Amino acid sequence: MSISLHVICPNGHNLRHLGEFVYETGRWLVSEETARQVTRVHIHEKQKLPAYQGGNVISWRADPEGTGRYYFTYRATEDARIPCSGGWGQELAIVRHVEG
């Protein structure tokens, strides 16, 4: 199973540009098991709008402060600009994909 993580980041808030098409998200509260399965990240301005950015996850890391939150590093791709097909929580949605 893989997971697409959809998150709300208005105006690129908490996004870090690391290099050519590579970004790191702010920290998000998900379980470590979920973090391990995230293969795509989609960054949205608002829940009802398609993602304005996102891409393939390169790596993830736990918040060093031990908050149970995770950062995701991804390479931006044009095909990540999609609406969320799952149910939103307050600021994020976890969309599970079954392979096969």
Side-chain angles (χ1 to χ4, degrees), residues 51-79:
Y52 63 84
Q53 192 187 88
N56 300 317
V57 172
I58 299 167
S59 63
W60 58 273
R61 65 183 175 91
D63 182 1
E65 296 178 13
T67 62
R69 295 174 180 265
Y70 294 86
Y71 296 88
F72 297 90
T73 301
Y74 65 94
R75 181 170 305 280
T77 60
E78 286 292 322
D79 66 346

Side-chain angles (χ1 to χ4, degrees), residues 78-98:
E78 286 292 322
D79 66 346
R81 297 178 179 190
I82 61 172
C84 179
S85 63
W88 282 95
Q90 189 168 18
E91 294 183 317
L92 68 86
I94 296 170
V95 180
R96 297 182 190 321
H97 306 282
V98 178

